[in-house]
Amino acid sequence: MPVTLTIKNVPDENIDPLLSIACPNILFPYVREVVSESVTRAGFAPVVLQPVNFEAMYAARVQQEQTAEA
């Protein structure tokens, strides 16, 4: 059964940064822990996912889109 999420009280111009920066920053540490724990429990060598700068990735994407429009 699919999960439907609703974002309320956020201006339209802030939706993309919210979904591209804030949400991944909140979720990534938990995902990193689950991946690390699952790999270790499966008997494989530990996997350490490096931190990700989602803000820099978003800025680079916006810059690329602006360059493509020009």
Side-chain angles (χ1 to χ4, degrees):
M1 180 175 184
V3 176
T4 302
L5 301 174
T6 303
I7 298 174
K8 296 180 182 180
N9 301 324
V10 176
D12 288 342
E13 63 271 5
N14 292 344
I15 294 288
D16 194 37
L18 177 73
L19 294 175
S20 298
I21 300 169
C23 291
N25 275 330
I26 294 168
L27 295 174
F28 186 73
Y30 297 103
V31 171
R32 190 165 77 173
E33 176 65 26
V34 168
V35 168
S36 178
E37 186 176 321
S38 298
V39 169
T40 302
R41 282 186 176 186
F44 297 103
V47 172
V48 179
L49 299 176
Q50 297 300 315
V52 177
N53 186 342
F54 292 104
E55 189 171 355
M57 289 173 59
Y58 176 75
R61 188 186 75 190
V62 168
Q63 179 69 29
Q64 184 180 21
E65 288 173 358
Q66 289 174 347
T67 303
E69 289 177 1

